Coordinates of all heavy atoms in Angstrom, one line a residue:
M14 N 23.9 -43.5 -4.5 CA 24.2 -44.7 -3.6 C 25.7 -44.6 -3.3 O 26.5 -44.4 -4.2 CB 23.8 -46.0 -4.3 CG 24.2 -47.2 -3.5 SD 23.6 -48.7 -4.3 CE 24.7 -48.8 -5.7
I15 N 26.0 -44.8 -2.0 CA 27.4 -44.8 -1.7 C 28.0 -46.2 -2.0 O 27.3 -47.2 -2.1 CB 27.6 -44.5 -0.2 CG1 26.9 -45.5 0.7 CG2 27.2 -43.1 0.1 CD1 27.2 -45.3 2.2
Q16 N 29.3 -46.3 -2.2 CA 30.0 -47.5 -2.6 C 29.7 -48.7 -1.6 O 29.5 -49.8 -2.1 CB 31.5 -47.3 -2.7 CG 32.3 -48.5 -3.1 CD 32.0 -48.9 -4.5 OE1 31.5 -48.1 -5.3 NE2 32.3 -50.1 -4.8
E17 N 29.6 -48.5 -0.3 CA 29.4 -49.5 0.6 C 28.0 -50.2 0.4 O 27.8 -51.4 0.7 CB 29.4 -49.0 2.1 CG 30.8 -48.7 2.5 CD 31.7 -50.0 2.5 OE1 31.4 -51.0 3.0 OE2 32.8 -49.9 1.9
D18 N 27.0 -49.5 -0.2 CA 25.7 -50.1 -0.4 C 25.8 -51.3 -1.4 O 25.0 -52.2 -1.3 CB 24.8 -49.0 -1.0 CG 24.3 -48.0 0.1 OD1 24.6 -48.2 1.3 OD2 23.8 -47.0 -0.3
V19 N 26.7 -51.3 -2.3 CA 26.8 -52.4 -3.2 C 27.2 -53.7 -2.5 O 27.1 -54.8 -3.1 CB 27.7 -52.1 -4.4 CG1 27.2 -50.9 -5.2 CG2 29.2 -51.9 -4.0
K20 N 27.7 -53.6 -1.3 CA 28.2 -54.8 -0.6 C 27.0 -55.3 0.3 O 27.2 -56.3 1.0 CB 29.4 -54.4 0.3 CG 30.6 -54.0 -0.6 CD 31.8 -53.7 0.3 CE 32.9 -53.2 -0.5 NZ 34.1 -52.9 0.4
R21 N 25.9 -54.7 0.3 CA 24.8 -55.1 1.2 C 23.6 -55.6 0.3 O 23.3 -55.1 -0.7 CB 24.2 -53.8 1.9 CG 25.3 -53.2 2.8 CD 25.3 -54.0 4.1 NE 26.5 -53.7 4.8 CZ 27.3 -54.5 5.5 NH1 26.9 -55.8 5.6 NH2 28.4 -54.2 6.1
C22 N 23.1 -56.7 0.8 CA 21.9 -57.4 0.2 C 20.7 -56.4 0.3 O 20.4 -55.9 1.4 CB 21.6 -58.7 0.9 SG 20.1 -59.5 0.3
P23 N 20.0 -56.2 -0.8 CA 18.9 -55.2 -0.8 C 17.7 -55.8 -0.1 O 16.8 -55.0 0.2 CB 18.6 -55.0 -2.3 CG 19.1 -56.2 -2.9 CD 20.3 -56.7 -2.2
I24 N 17.7 -57.0 0.3 CA 16.6 -57.6 1.0 C 16.8 -57.7 2.5 O 16.0 -57.2 3.2 CB 16.3 -59.1 0.4 CG1 15.8 -58.9 -1.0 CG2 15.2 -59.8 1.3 CD1 15.7 -60.3 -1.7
C25 N 18.0 -58.2 2.9 CA 18.2 -58.3 4.4 C 19.2 -57.3 4.9 O 19.3 -57.1 6.1 CB 18.7 -59.7 4.7 SG 20.4 -60.1 4.2
G26 N 20.0 -56.7 4.0 CA 20.9 -55.7 4.5 C 22.3 -56.3 4.9 O 23.2 -55.6 5.2
G27 N 22.4 -57.6 4.8 CA 23.6 -58.3 5.2 C 24.6 -58.2 4.1 O 24.4 -57.7 3.0
D28 N 25.8 -58.7 4.4 CA 26.9 -58.7 3.4 C 26.6 -59.7 2.3 O 26.3 -60.8 2.5 CB 28.2 -59.2 4.1 CG 29.4 -59.1 3.2 OD1 29.3 -58.8 2.0 OD2 30.5 -59.4 3.7
N29 N 26.6 -59.2 1.0 CA 26.2 -60.0 -0.1 C 27.4 -60.8 -0.7 O 27.2 -61.6 -1.6 CB 25.4 -59.3 -1.2 CG 26.3 -58.1 -1.8 OD1 27.5 -58.1 -1.7 ND2 25.6 -57.2 -2.4
K30 N 28.5 -60.5 -0.2 CA 29.8 -61.2 -0.6 C 30.0 -61.1 -2.1 O 30.6 -62.0 -2.7 CB 29.8 -62.6 -0.1 CG 29.8 -62.7 1.4 CD 30.0 -64.1 1.8 CE 30.0 -64.4 3.3 NZ 29.5 -63.4 4.2
C31 N 29.5 -60.0 -2.7 CA 29.7 -59.8 -4.2 C 31.2 -59.5 -4.4 O 31.8 -58.7 -3.8 CB 28.9 -58.6 -4.6 SG 28.9 -58.4 -6.4
R32 N 31.7 -60.2 -5.4 CA 33.1 -60.0 -5.8 C 33.4 -58.9 -6.8 O 34.5 -58.4 -6.9 CB 33.7 -61.3 -6.4 CG 33.5 -62.5 -5.5 CD 34.2 -62.4 -4.2 NE 35.6 -62.3 -4.4 CZ 36.5 -61.9 -3.5 NH1 36.2 -61.8 -2.3 NH2 37.8 -61.8 -3.8
N33 N 32.4 -58.4 -7.5 CA 32.6 -57.4 -8.5 C 33.1 -56.0 -7.8 O 34.0 -55.4 -8.4 CB 31.3 -57.2 -9.3 CG 31.1 -58.4 -10.2 OD1 32.0 -59.0 -10.6 ND2 29.8 -58.6 -10.5
P34 N 32.5 -55.6 -6.7 CA 33.0 -54.3 -6.1 C 34.4 -54.5 -5.6 O 35.1 -53.5 -5.5 CB 32.0 -54.0 -5.0 CG 30.8 -54.8 -5.3 CD 31.2 -56.0 -6.1
A35 N 34.8 -55.7 -5.4 CA 36.2 -55.9 -4.9 C 37.2 -55.9 -6.0 O 38.4 -55.9 -5.8 CB 36.3 -57.3 -4.2
G36 N 36.7 -55.7 -7.3 CA 37.6 -55.6 -8.4 C 37.9 -57.0 -9.0 O 38.8 -57.0 -9.9
D37 N 37.3 -58.0 -8.6 CA 37.6 -59.4 -9.1 C 37.0 -59.4 -10.5 O 36.1 -58.7 -10.9 CB 37.0 -60.5 -8.3 CG 37.8 -60.6 -7.0 OD1 38.8 -59.9 -6.8 OD2 37.4 -61.4 -6.1
P38 N 37.6 -60.3 -11.4 CA 37.1 -60.5 -12.7 C 35.6 -60.8 -12.8 O 35.1 -61.6 -11.9 CB 37.9 -61.6 -13.3 CG 39.1 -61.7 -12.4 CD 38.6 -61.2 -11.1
Q39 N 34.9 -60.4 -13.8 CA 33.5 -60.7 -14.1 C 33.4 -62.2 -14.1 O 34.2 -62.9 -14.7 CB 33.1 -60.1 -15.4 CG 31.6 -60.3 -15.7 CD 30.7 -59.3 -14.8 OE1 31.2 -58.4 -14.2 NE2 29.5 -59.6 -14.8
G40 N 32.4 -62.8 -13.5 CA 32.2 -64.2 -13.5 C 32.9 -64.9 -12.3 O 32.7 -66.1 -12.2
S41 N 33.6 -64.2 -11.4 CA 34.3 -64.9 -10.3 C 33.4 -64.8 -9.0 O 33.8 -65.4 -8.0 CB 35.6 -64.2 -10.1 OG 35.5 -62.9 -9.7
C42 N 32.3 -64.2 -9.1 CA 31.4 -64.1 -7.9 C 30.7 -65.4 -7.7 O 30.4 -66.1 -8.6 CB 30.4 -62.9 -8.1 SG 29.5 -62.5 -6.6
W43 N 30.3 -65.6 -6.4 CA 29.5 -66.8 -6.1 C 28.2 -66.9 -6.9 O 27.7 -68.0 -7.2 CB 29.2 -66.9 -4.6 CG 28.2 -65.8 -4.2 CD1 28.4 -64.6 -3.7 CD2 26.7 -66.0 -4.3 NE1 27.2 -63.9 -3.5 CE2 26.2 -64.7 -3.8 CE3 25.9 -67.0 -4.6 CZ2 24.8 -64.5 -3.8 CZ3 24.5 -66.7 -4.6 CH2 24.0 -65.5 -4.2
C44 N 27.7 -65.8 -7.3 CA 26.4 -65.8 -7.9 C 26.4 -66.0 -9.4 O 25.4 -66.2 -10.1 CB 25.6 -64.5 -7.7 SG 26.4 -63.0 -8.4
Y45 N 27.6 -66.1 -10.0 CA 27.8 -66.4 -11.4 C 27.1 -67.7 -11.7 O 27.5 -68.7 -11.2 CB 29.2 -66.4 -11.8 CG 29.4 -66.5 -13.3 CD1 29.2 -65.5 -14.2 CD2 29.9 -67.7 -13.8 CE1 29.3 -65.7 -15.5 CE2 30.1 -67.9 -15.2 CZ 29.8 -66.9 -16.0 OH 29.9 -67.0 -17.4
G46 N 26.1 -67.7 -12.5 CA 25.4 -68.9 -12.9 C 24.3 -69.2 -12.0 O 23.5 -70.2 -12.3
A47 N 24.1 -68.5 -10.9 CA 23.0 -68.8 -10.0 C 21.7 -68.3 -10.6 O 21.7 -67.4 -11.4 CB 23.2 -68.1 -8.6
V48 N 20.6 -69.0 -10.3 CA 19.3 -68.6 -10.8 C 18.5 -68.0 -9.7 O 18.3 -68.5 -8.6 CB 18.6 -69.9 -11.3 CG1 17.2 -69.5 -11.8 CG2 19.3 -70.5 -12.4
F49 N 18.1 -66.7 -9.9 CA 17.3 -66.0 -9.0 C 15.9 -65.9 -9.5 O 15.6 -65.3 -10.5 CB 17.9 -64.5 -8.8 CG 19.2 -64.5 -8.2 CD1 20.4 -64.7 -9.0 CD2 19.3 -64.3 -6.9 CE1 21.6 -64.7 -8.4 CE2 20.6 -64.3 -6.2 CZ 21.7 -64.5 -7.0
P50 N 15.0 -66.6 -8.7 CA 13.6 -66.7 -9.2 C 12.9 -65.3 -9.2 O 13.3 -64.4 -8.4 CB 12.9 -67.5 -8.1 CG 14.0 -68.3 -7.5 CD 15.2 -67.4 -7.6
E51 N 12.0 -65.1 -10.1 CA 11.4 -63.8 -10.3 C 10.7 -63.3 -9.0 O 10.8 -62.1 -8.7 CB 10.3 -63.9 -11.4 CG 9.7 -62.5 -11.8 CD 10.7 -61.6 -12.4 OE1 11.7 -62.0 -13.0 OE2 10.6 -60.3 -12.2
E52 N 10.1 -64.2 -8.2 CA 9.5 -63.9 -7.0 C 10.5 -63.3 -6.0 O 10.1 -62.4 -5.2 CB 8.8 -65.1 -6.3 CG 7.7 -65.8 -7.2 CD 8.3 -66.7 -8.2 OE1 9.5 -67.2 -8.1 OE2 7.6 -67.0 -9.2
L53 N 11.7 -63.7 -6.0 CA 12.7 -63.2 -5.1 C 13.2 -61.8 -5.6 O 13.3 -60.8 -4.9 CB 13.9 -64.1 -5.0 CG 15.1 -63.7 -4.1 CD1 14.6 -63.5 -2.7 CD2 16.2 -64.7 -4.2
L54 N 13.4 -61.7 -6.9 CA 13.8 -60.4 -7.5 C 12.8 -59.3 -7.3 O 13.1 -58.1 -7.1 CB 14.0 -60.6 -9.0 CG 15.2 -61.5 -9.4 CD1 15.3 -61.7 -10.9 CD2 16.5 -60.9 -8.9
E55 N 11.5 -59.7 -7.2 CA 10.4 -58.7 -7.0 C 10.5 -58.1 -5.6 O 9.9 -57.1 -5.3 CB 9.1 -59.4 -7.2 CG 8.8 -59.6 -8.7 CD 7.5 -60.5 -8.9 OE1 6.9 -60.9 -8.0 OE2 7.2 -60.7 -10.1
R56 N 11.2 -58.8 -4.7 CA 11.3 -58.3 -3.3 C 12.4 -57.2 -3.2 O 12.5 -56.5 -2.1 CB 11.7 -59.4 -2.4 CG 10.5 -60.4 -2.3 CD 10.8 -61.6 -1.4 NE 11.2 -61.1 0.0 CZ 11.9 -61.9 0.8 NH1 12.2 -63.1 0.5 NH2 12.2 -61.4 2.0
V57 N 13.2 -57.0 -4.2 CA 14.2 -55.9 -4.2 C 13.6 -54.6 -4.4 O 12.8 -54.4 -5.3 CB 15.3 -56.2 -5.3 CG1 16.3 -55.0 -5.4 CG2 16.0 -57.5 -5.1
P58 N 13.8 -53.6 -3.4 CA 13.3 -52.3 -3.6 C 13.7 -51.7 -4.9 O 14.8 -51.9 -5.4 CB 13.9 -51.5 -2.4 CG 14.3 -52.5 -1.4 CD 14.7 -53.8 -2.2
A59 N 12.8 -50.9 -5.5 CA 13.0 -50.3 -6.8 C 14.3 -49.5 -6.8 O 15.0 -49.5 -7.8 CB 11.8 -49.4 -7.2
S60 N 14.6 -48.8 -5.7 CA 15.9 -48.0 -5.7 C 17.1 -48.8 -5.7 O 18.2 -48.3 -5.9 CB 15.9 -47.2 -4.4 OG 15.9 -48.0 -3.3
Q61 N 17.0 -50.2 -5.5 CA 18.2 -51.0 -5.5 C 18.3 -52.0 -6.7 O 19.3 -52.7 -6.8 CB 18.2 -51.9 -4.2 CG 18.4 -51.0 -2.9 CD 19.8 -50.4 -2.9 OE1 20.1 -49.5 -3.6 NE2 20.6 -51.0 -2.1
V62 N 17.3 -52.0 -7.5 CA 17.4 -52.9 -8.7 C 18.6 -52.6 -9.5 O 18.9 -51.5 -9.9 CB 16.1 -52.7 -9.5 CG1 16.2 -53.5 -10.9 CG2 14.9 -53.2 -8.8
R63 N 19.4 -53.7 -9.8 CA 20.6 -53.6 -10.6 C 21.7 -52.8 -10.0 O 22.6 -52.3 -10.6 CB 20.3 -53.2 -12.0 CG 19.4 -54.1 -12.7 CD 19.4 -53.8 -14.2 NE 18.4 -54.6 -14.9 CZ 18.6 -55.8 -15.4 NH1 19.8 -56.3 -15.3 NH2 17.7 -56.4 -16.1
K64 N 21.6 -52.5 -8.6 CA 22.6 -51.8 -8.0 C 23.4 -52.6 -6.9 O 24.5 -52.2 -6.6 CB 22.0 -50.5 -7.3 CG 21.5 -49.5 -8.4 CD 21.0 -48.3 -7.7 CE 20.5 -47.3 -8.8 NZ 19.8 -46.2 -8.2
S65 N 22.7 -53.6 -6.3 CA 23.4 -54.4 -5.3 C 22.8 -55.8 -5.5 O 21.7 -56.0 -5.8 CB 23.2 -53.9 -3.9 OG 21.8 -53.8 -3.6
C66 N 23.6 -56.8 -5.1 CA 23.3 -58.2 -5.3 C 22.6 -58.8 -4.1 O 22.8 -58.4 -2.9 CB 24.6 -59.0 -5.5 SG 25.5 -58.6 -6.9
I67 N 21.7 -59.7 -4.4 CA 21.0 -60.5 -3.3 C 22.0 -61.4 -2.8 O 22.8 -62.0 -3.5 CB 19.8 -61.2 -3.9 CG1 18.7 -60.2 -4.4 CG2 19.2 -62.2 -2.9 CD1 17.6 -60.8 -5.2
C68 N 22.0 -61.6 -1.5 CA 23.0 -62.5 -0.8 C 22.6 -64.0 -1.0 O 21.4 -64.3 -1.2 CB 23.2 -62.2 0.6 SG 21.8 -62.5 1.7
S69 N 23.5 -64.9 -0.8 CA 23.3 -66.3 -0.9 C 22.3 -66.8 0.2 O 21.5 -67.7 0.0 CB 24.6 -67.1 -0.8 OG 25.2 -66.9 0.4
T70 N 22.3 -66.2 1.3 CA 21.4 -66.5 2.4 C 20.0 -66.3 2.0 O 19.1 -67.1 2.2 CB 21.8 -65.8 3.7 OG1 23.1 -66.0 4.1 CG2 20.8 -66.1 4.9
C71 N 19.7 -65.1 1.4 CA 18.3 -64.8 1.0 C 17.9 -65.7 -0.1 O 16.8 -66.2 -0.2 CB 18.2 -63.4 0.6 SG 18.2 -62.2 2.0
L72 N 18.8 -66.0 -1.1 CA 18.5 -66.9 -2.2 C 18.2 -68.3 -1.6 O 17.2 -68.9 -2.0 CB 19.7 -67.0 -3.2 CG 19.5 -68.0 -4.3 CD1 18.3 -67.7 -5.1 CD2 20.8 -68.0 -5.2
D73 N 19.0 -68.8 -0.7 CA 18.8 -70.2 -0.2 C 17.5 -70.2 0.6 O 16.8 -71.2 0.5 CB 20.0 -70.6 0.7 CG 21.3 -70.8 0.0 OD1 21.2 -71.0 -1.3 OD2 22.3 -70.8 0.6
K74 N 17.3 -69.2 1.4 CA 16.0 -69.2 2.2 C 14.8 -69.2 1.3 O 13.8 -69.9 1.5 CB 16.0 -67.9 3.1 CG 14.8 -67.8 4.0 CD 14.9 -66.5 4.8 CE 13.6 -66.4 5.6 NZ 13.6 -65.1 6.4
H75 N 14.8 -68.4 0.2 CA 13.7 -68.3 -0.7 C 13.5 -69.7 -1.4 O 12.4 -70.2 -1.5 CB 14.0 -67.3 -1.8 CG 12.9 -67.2 -2.8 ND1 11.7 -66.6 -2.6 CD2 12.8 -67.8 -4.0 CE1 10.9 -66.7 -3.6 NE2 11.6 -67.5 -4.5
L76 N 14.6 -70.4 -1.8 CA 14.5 -71.6 -2.5 C 13.9 -72.7 -1.5 O 13.1 -73.5 -1.9 CB 15.8 -72.1 -3.0 CG 16.4 -71.2 -4.2 CD1 17.8 -71.7 -4.6 CD2 15.4 -71.2 -5.4
K77 N 14.3 -72.7 -0.3 CA 13.8 -73.6 0.7 C 12.3 -73.4 1.0 O 11.5 -74.3 1.1 CB 14.6 -73.6 2.0 CG 15.9 -74.2 1.9 CD 16.7 -74.1 3.2 CE 18.2 -74.6 3.0 NZ 19.0 -74.3 4.1
E78 N 11.9 -72.1 1.1 CA 10.5 -71.8 1.3 C 9.7 -72.2 0.1 O 8.6 -72.7 0.3 CB 10.4 -70.3 1.6 CG 10.9 -69.9 2.9 CD 10.9 -68.4 3.1 OE1 10.6 -67.6 2.1 OE2 11.2 -67.9 4.2
A79 N 10.2 -72.1 -1.1 CA 9.5 -72.5 -2.3 C 9.3 -74.0 -2.4 O 8.3 -74.4 -2.8 CB 10.2 -72.0 -3.5
E80 N 10.3 -74.7 -1.9 CA 10.2 -76.2 -1.9 C 9.1 -76.7 -0.9 O 8.4 -77.6 -1.2 CB 11.5 -76.8 -1.4 CG 12.6 -76.8 -2.5 CD 13.9 -77.4 -1.9 OE1 13.9 -77.9 -0.8 OE2 14.9 -77.4 -2.7
Q81 N 8.9 -75.9 0.2 CA 8.0 -76.3 1.2 C 6.5 -75.9 0.8 O 5.6 -76.4 1.4 CB 8.4 -75.7 2.5 CG 9.7 -76.3 3.0 CD 10.1 -75.6 4.3 OE1 9.5 -74.7 4.8 NE2 11.2 -76.1 4.9
A82 N 6.4 -75.0 -0.1 CA 5.1 -74.5 -0.5 C 4.3 -75.5 -1.3 O 4.8 -76.3 -1.9 CB 5.2 -73.2 -1.2

């Protein structure tokens, strides 16, 4: 995987705004403390598991869809 791939959401391909590849301290990313439901994590392609972060847009969209279900 090339370095730029870590900046892309594995679900939508958009910018995941992850702070870790930018060299920021661990825990400074927007996702620190966020809860990612298992159903959302299952949508990540096997080749991207633990390699790139899901973006806040995909997380928010999933949570809204789950509320409506």
Side-chain angles (χ1 to χ4, degrees):
M14 178 174 68
I15 60 172
Q16 183 65 22
E17 286 301 308
D18 288 347
V19 299
K20 298 178 182 179
R21 299 277 162 220
C22 174
I24 296 174
C25 72
D28 184 355
N29 61 20
K30 298 184 180 18
C31 184
R32 304 299 301 170
N33 291 331
D37 289 356
Q39 186 74 13
S41 63
C42 188
W43 70 268
C44 67
Y45 183 74
V48 177
F49 292 85
E51 189 64 32
E52 298 84 19
L53 180 61
L54 295 173
E55 289 172 355
R56 295 179 55 198
V57 175
S60 63
Q61 292 294 74
V62 172
R63 299 190 184 272
K64 293 182 180 174
S65 62
C66 298
I67 296 169
C68 70
S69 61
T70 302
C71 285
L72 176 59
D73 292 343
K74 181 179 177 184
H75 178 81
L76 294 175
K77 286 177 186 173
E78 289 172 354
E80 283 179 4
Q81 295 174 356

